[in-house]
Amino acid sequence: MKLLTVDTVSEAREKLLIAAQQKKKQIEFVELEEAMDRVLASDLVSPEPIPSFRRSTVDGYAVRAADTQGAGESIPVFLEIIERIEIGTPAVRMVQPGQCSYVPTGGMIPEGADAVVMVEYCEAFDTRSMAVYDAVSPGRNLIRIGEDIQEESLFLKKGTRLRPQEIGVLASAGVHTVPVYRPWKIAIISTGDELVPADQKPMPGQVRDINTYVLDAMSRKYGFEVVSKQVLQDQRNLLEKAVDSAMKTCDMVVVSGGSSQGEKDHTADVLDQLADPGVFTHGIALKPGKPTILGYDTLSETILMGLPGHPAAAMIVFELLAVWLYLQLTHQPAPAYTTAVVETNVASAPGKETCLLVELVDGDDGYIARPIFGKSGLMTTLSRAWGYTLIDMNKEGLKAGEPIQVILF
Amino acid sequence: MKLLTVDTVSEAREKLLIAAQQKKKQIEFVELEEAMDRVLASDLVSPEPIPSFRRSTVDGYAVRAADTQGAGESIPVFLEIIERIEIGTPAVRMVQPGQCSYVPTGGMIPEGADAVVMVEYCEAFDTRSMAVYDAVSPGRNLIRIGEDIQEESLFLKKGTRLRPQEIGVLASAGVHTVPVYRPWKIAIISTGDELVPADQKPMPGQVRDINTYVLDAMSRKYGFEVVSKQVLQDQRNLLEKAVDSAMKTCDMVVVSGGSSQGEKDHTADVLDQLADPGVFTHGIALKPGKPTILGYDTLSETILMGLPGHPAAAMIVFELLAVWLYLQLTHQPAPAYTTAVVETNVASAPGKETCLLVELVDGDDGYIARPIFGKSGLMTTLSRAWGYTLIDMNKEGLKAGEPIQVILF
């Protein structure tokens, strides 16, 4: 009775991490235009300061701040205009005491100047002089050299998943080829004599295959490269052939179905036989998700996963284990959660963690989490869910009104 | 002084919505494999119930529940086994009183039976009969016809952005071509004499172009199709030509830079001249983001946007207006937020909304939002941000410890 020796979620995670840490990390370089949503594989240090010159943040006059002391709405200070600096061109003349230069937003601050007075507070007196109606302190209305990124500073950390804003940082630092982790190659195998492809009409007793679609979409969401998707009849030799072939090219092989206690359960045997050291987890203390099988093959560096046949359970286990592992190995932070107050009491199974799906509805002080109850075979249950919360195995459920952390998915 | 007549964010949104509602909605059909992250363009109604037959959720024996009444751990009930149902094949024989049939997980429940007893509570007595040690109620351990999706029911709503779980629902319902909104075609134009491409070394006074990269990445994130990206010198005729040509093919033209009060401000003029009715917003009461220009052209059905030149401000305005508008027109819900407690007092500008960037740090009772202060020209500011919160224009800022809603981005 293998199912008696189930692992907790954290035991299973620890075993997975120990095994998968043997995998060689693979880094590739992509063009900046293609780097969105990829994960940075090295810390980035800037060889130059950004900006590399002092820039004005307003349209105005670059001045020596000391010259403006005492100026005010009705008491102007008069300064000599020595240059009109154009955007995109260097400032040529040094500002001496009693002088100023026009500078547009984004323009270069000339030597000698240490602040900018906005045009709104300036009035031309004649062609060469300017009345200034504002006292500015040093540093006012300008960005210093290196204020955005200091020279030699670490400006983006390994493990950062590149959002539009990081693409902007990379562009500003002139990084146009970006070191990122090579995405995992993954093979998805769904087994079951009852399965027909989604574009076929099922006969009585048959159902459409869901898991290859769901796991393919999940894989894309996290940036994996799906190498193959297969729906197999539940025959040991077919599974053996498919897994053996997938192990040659993939970082992870995921088999769903065939892992409940049914008569045709071959997944654990096949994975254990083809891999060395083989299967190390024969079930996890998670609801839903108990019939989960985990293993590793050292030679091919392949992570092996047998997922429950129920689509919702398969998706939850994939998220909690496969995605978790990938985030760990690529140094990414845990996914952000949102806080909500649970709407009703929820009982949870003693001795196992419970993954509770919730809908979020607007309450007076933020979200209310409405638990979604339903059998794990039901796909629409999962579709109604905004996210999930994990109930600790040592907790006896949740009380209505209790605050929880919901991970959106 | 056009900038005196600024719109609030909600006024600007309302004007955008009224204009853009004239756009014809365009729907296209994609294969299920390609439907991930696309937005459903019609309500979907199922022509058939899912599942289409009663399925067992366990390995066990399909029984008439009434036959098991009185059974218990030490008091078996004896039933005649009449069939071993295979997964994927129809149940053939009707279960009469006193009879049962073996059914695997996912297998078809035979006529006559109304519950399943798990194998764990059954013991073979001889080849034809079974001792049952559990009393089950009707409906136990099975999924009814239509329990996942009822026949003729609306099972996915227009405006749903398709996540892996919705892909699963579509697969289970046999929808293999999916009606989705055609993504907006967008042209991105960045103007400024100081700009050089990101792979060139800037000369003194010059900076690398950031906005085409950031706006391209933002566009991809929300599923827009970027038709062209251009960096232009700030010359009226170049801008005119680029906008005119982009309006012919695009749903939205975004021009960033050239919209502060600097001398070379052509954007508003050009957009107003090329479009009919033209520009309707000449600035918004938002910090950062004041120098924003909005317009519409009825003939080409193009939305026109002039964004601030500062990358962070450009990105925020794009998110608050362009993305907001697209979500509205495609019937998508507002983005999910997370609740956090603000770490320090924050002053906000009176008479305008403030978009406050925050970092989220773990606190005892969930997230603490740490405000990120920095000039809007700084790109790294935005990269440190997990998200933003909008401070109402009638509010005088935030008090340390106040709960806020943070939209992740």
Side-chain angles (χ1 to χ4, degrees):
Chain A
M1 280 299 279
K2 283 174 181 174
L3 286 176
L4 289 177
T5 61
V6 296
D7 285 339
T8 62
V9 173
S10 36
E11 284 164 350
R13 284 178 167 180
E14 200 180 332
K15 288 182 184 175
L16 268 178
L17 196 56
I18 289 169
Q21 267 166 349
Q22 306 167 46
K23 277 178 74 61
K24 279 185 282 294
K25 304 250 165 79
Q26 292 194 31
I27 292 176
E28 62 185 15
F29 287 84
V30 295
E31 295 295 306
L32 183 52
E33 279 89 348
E34 303 306 323
M36 167 80 172
D37 271 342
R38 300 296 298 269
V39 180
L40 206 56
S42 345
D43 288 338
L44 293 185
V45 170
S46 181
E48 52 178 308
I50 305 292
S52 59
F53 56 92
R54 295 184 303 158
R55 302 186 72 190
S56 179
T57 59
V58 296
D59 293 341
Y61 287 84
V63 298
R64 288 170 171 263
D67 284 349
T68 67
Q69 295 322 301
E73 248 181 86
S74 51
I75 317 156
V77 163
F78 293 90
L79 299 174
E80 180 199 3
I81 308 171
I82 56 163
E83 189 181 2
R84 293 191 70 82
I85 297 157
E86 302 264 338
I87 184 87
T89 58
V92 176
R93 298 191 56 187
M94 182 168 176
V95 172
Q96 305 285 357
Q99 297 183 331
C100 67
S101 292
Y102 174 78
V103 61
T105 305
M108 186 171 181
I109 307 287
E111 288 283 309
D114 59 2
V116 181
V117 181
M118 290 172 77
V119 281
E120 287 85 338
Y121 298 105
C122 297
E123 195 180 11
F125 184 68
D126 58 36
T127 52
R128 298 224 33 203
S129 51
M130 176 64 58
V132 171
Y133 294 89
D134 191 27
V136 289
S137 47
R140 181 80 181 147
N141 294 327
L142 60 80
I143 297 172
R144 298 185 312 277
I145 291 172
E147 188 167 344
D148 203 354
I149 304 176
Q150 284 187 303
E151 194 173 352
E152 302 298 335
S153 68
L154 192 164
F155 67 96
L156 278 180
K157 269 200 242 172
K158 182 163 78 173
T160 303
R161 190 168 184 180
L162 301 170
R163 302 171 299 169
Q165 41 274 58
E166 281 80 32
I167 299 293
V169 173
L170 292 167
S172 71
V175 181
H176 44 95
T177 30
V178 189
V180 293
Y181 288 110
R182 183 177 65 66
W184 273 357
K185 291 190 169 127
I186 178 167
I188 298 165
I189 300 168
S190 184
T191 72
D193 291 339
E194 76 279 27
L195 303 179
V196 298
D199 56 357
Q200 273 180 33
K201 175 93 189 152
M203 305 294 288
Q206 297 183 322
V207 293
R208 295 188 187 89
D209 165 56
I210 302 177
N211 286 359
T212 62
Y213 290 94
V214 171
L215 295 172
D216 176 54
M218 284 287 283
S219 299
R220 289 174 190 225
K221 177 176 166 189
Y222 290 101
F224 302 158
E225 180 190 338
V226 179
V227 171
S228 64
K229 290 190 297 182
Q230 282 177 283
V231 179
L232 299 181
Q233 293 288 299
D234 200 356
Q235 291 170 24
R236 191 189 163 104
N237 61 329
L238 291 178
L239 184 62
E240 216 173 277
K241 222 170 122 179
V243 173
D244 190 41
S245 146
M247 281 170 63
K248 294 197 175 81
T249 53
C250 291
D251 298 284
M252 174 147 60
V253 178
V254 174
V255 180
S256 79
S259 50
S260 87
Q261 292 182 63
E263 293 177 352
K264 298 181 180 181
D265 177 5
H266 306 124
T267 307
D269 281 356
V270 167
L271 297 184
D272 201 39
Q273 180 202 305
L274 292 175
D276 176 27
V279 172
F280 48 72
T281 293
H282 289 90
I284 50 173
L286 174 70
K287 188 185 168 192
K290 188 178 168 195
T292 295
I293 291 153
L294 304 173
Y296 187 72
D297 181 56
T298 308
L299 186 65
S300 63
E301 300 191 341
T302 316
I303 298 148
L304 302 163
M305 249 180 221
L307 300 182
H310 284 164
M315 193 181 141
I316 286 168
V317 174
F318 190 82
E319 168 99 7
L320 293 182
L321 296 181
V323 171
W324 176 88
L325 181 63
Y326 186 70
L327 296 183
Q328 287 285 316
L329 292 179
T330 53
H331 305 276
Q332 295 184 69
Y337 58 82
T338 186
T339 314
V341 161
V342 68
E343 194 177 41
T344 54
N345 289 342
V346 179
S348 67
K352 50 169 94 169
E353 248 169 299
T354 300
C355 182
L356 178 73
L357 299 174
V358 298
E359 207 171 339
L360 295 178
V361 292
D362 281 315
D364 290 339
D365 303 308
Y367 284 130
I368 294 167
R370 178 172 296 162
I372 297 175
F373 299 109
K375 297 163 188 163
S376 68
L378 305 183
M379 201 60 221
T380 46
T381 318
L382 204 53
S383 160
R384 271 168 46 219
W386 286 49
Y388 63 88
T389 191
L390 284 174
I391 307 176
D392 192 90
M393 59 190 294
N394 299 316
K395 228 170 160 276
E396 280 181 17
L398 300 173
K399 287 214 175 66
E402 191 175 335
I404 56 171
Q405 296 182 349
V406 177
I407 296 167
L408 301 175
F409 80 149
Chain B
M1 282 296 282
K2 284 172 176 173
L3 285 176
L4 290 175
T5 60
V6 296
D7 286 339
T8 62
V9 172
S10 35
E11 283 164 353
R13 283 178 168 180
E14 200 180 331
K15 288 182 185 176
L16 269 178
L17 195 57
I18 288 169
Q21 267 166 349
Q22 306 166 44
K23 277 177 76 59
K24 280 187 281 296
K25 303 252 165 78
Q26 291 193 31
I27 292 176
E28 62 185 15
F29 287 83
V30 295
E31 294 295 307
L32 184 52
E33 279 89 348
E34 303 306 323
M36 167 80 172
D37 271 341
R38 299 297 299 268
V39 180
L40 206 57
S42 345
D43 288 340
L44 293 186
V45 170
S46 181
E48 53 178 307
I50 306 294
S52 58
F53 56 92
R54 296 184 303 159
R55 302 185 71 189
S56 179
T57 60
V58 297
D59 293 341
Y61 287 85
V63 298
R64 290 169 170 265
D67 282 351
T68 67
Q69 294 323 302
E73 249 180 85
S74 51
I75 317 153
V77 164
F78 293 88
L79 298 174
E80 180 199 4
I81 309 171
I82 56 164
E83 189 181 3
R84 293 193 70 82
I85 297 158
E86 302 265 337
I87 185 87
T89 57
V92 176
R93 298 192 56 187
M94 180 166 175
V95 173
Q96 305 284 357
Q99 297 183 329
C100 68
S101 292
Y102 174 78
V103 61
T105 305
M108 185 169 179
I109 306 287
E111 288 282 309
D114 60 4
V116 182
V117 181
M118 291 172 77
V119 281
E120 287 86 338
Y121 298 104
C122 298
E123 195 178 14
F125 186 68
D126 56 37
T127 52
R128 299 226 29 207
S129 52
M130 176 63 59
V132 171
Y133 295 89
D134 191 27
V136 288
S137 48
R140 181 81 182 143
N141 294 327
L142 61 81
I143 297 173
R144 299 185 311 277
I145 291 174
E147 187 167 343
D148 204 354
I149 304 177
Q150 284 188 302
E151 193 173 354
E152 303 297 334
S153 68
L154 191 163
F155 66 97
L156 278 181
K157 268 200 242 172
K158 180 162 79 171
T160 303
R161 190 167 185 183
L162 302 169
R163 302 171 298 170
Q165 42 273 58
E166 280 81 32
I167 299 292
V169 172
L170 291 167
S172 71
V175 181
H176 44 92
T177 31
V178 189
V180 292
Y181 289 109
R182 183 177 64 69
W184 273 355
K185 290 190 169 128
I186 177 167
I188 298 165
I189 300 169
S190 185
T191 72
D193 291 339
E194 76 280 25
L195 302 179
V196 298
D199 56 356
Q200 274 180 31
K201 176 91 187 156
M203 306 294 288
Q206 297 183 322
V207 292
R208 295 188 187 88
D209 165 57
I210 301 176
N211 285 359
T212 62
Y213 290 93
V214 171
L215 295 172
D216 176 55
M218 285 286 284
S219 299
R220 288 172 190 226
K221 177 176 165 188
Y222 289 101
F224 303 157
E225 180 190 338
V226 179
V227 171
S228 64
K229 288 191 299 181
Q230 283 176 281
V231 179
L232 299 181
Q233 294 288 298
D234 200 354
Q235 292 170 24
R236 192 190 163 103
N237 62 329
L238 291 178
L239 184 61
E240 214 173 278
K241 221 169 122 181
V243 173
D244 189 42
S245 145
M247 281 169 63
K248 294 197 175 82
T249 52
C250 290
D251 298 284
M252 173 147 59
V253 178
V254 174
V255 181
S256 80
S259 51
S260 86
Q261 292 182 64
E263 294 178 349
K264 299 183 180 180
D265 176 5
H266 306 125
T267 308
D269 282 355
V270 167
L271 297 185
D272 201 39
Q273 180 202 306
L274 292 175
D276 176 28
V279 172
F280 47 73
T281 294
H282 288 89
I284 51 174
L286 174 69
K287 190 186 167 196
K290 187 178 169 196
T292 295
I293 291 154
L294 303 173
Y296 187 72
D297 181 56
T298 308
L299 185 66
S300 64
E301 300 190 343
T302 315
I303 298 148
L304 302 163
M305 250 181 221
L307 300 181
H310 284 163
M315 192 180 142
I316 286 168
V317 174
F318 190 83
E319 168 98 8
L320 293 182
L321 296 181
V323 171
W324 176 88
L325 181 64
Y326 186 71
L327 297 183
Q328 286 285 318
L329 292 180
T330 53
H331 305 277
Q332 295 184 70
Y337 60 81
T338 185
T339 313
V341 162
V342 69
E343 195 178 42
T344 54
N345 289 342
V346 179
S348 67
K352 50 171 94 171
E353 248 168 300
T354 301
C355 182
L356 179 73
L357 300 174
V358 298
E359 208 171 340
L360 296 177
V361 293
D362 281 315
D364 289 341
D365 302 307
Y367 283 129
I368 294 167
R370 177 172 295 163
I372 296 174
F373 298 110
K375 298 164 188 162
S376 68
L378 305 183
M379 200 60 221
T380 45
T381 318
L382 203 55
S383 160
R384 272 167 45 219
W386 286 49
Y388 63 89
T389 191
L390 284 174
I391 307 177
D392 192 272
M393 57 189 297
N394 299 316
K395 225 169 163 280
E396 283 182 14
L398 300 173
K399 289 215 175 63
E402 192 175 333
I404 56 171
Q405 296 183 350
V406 177
I407 296 165
L408 302 175
F409 80 148

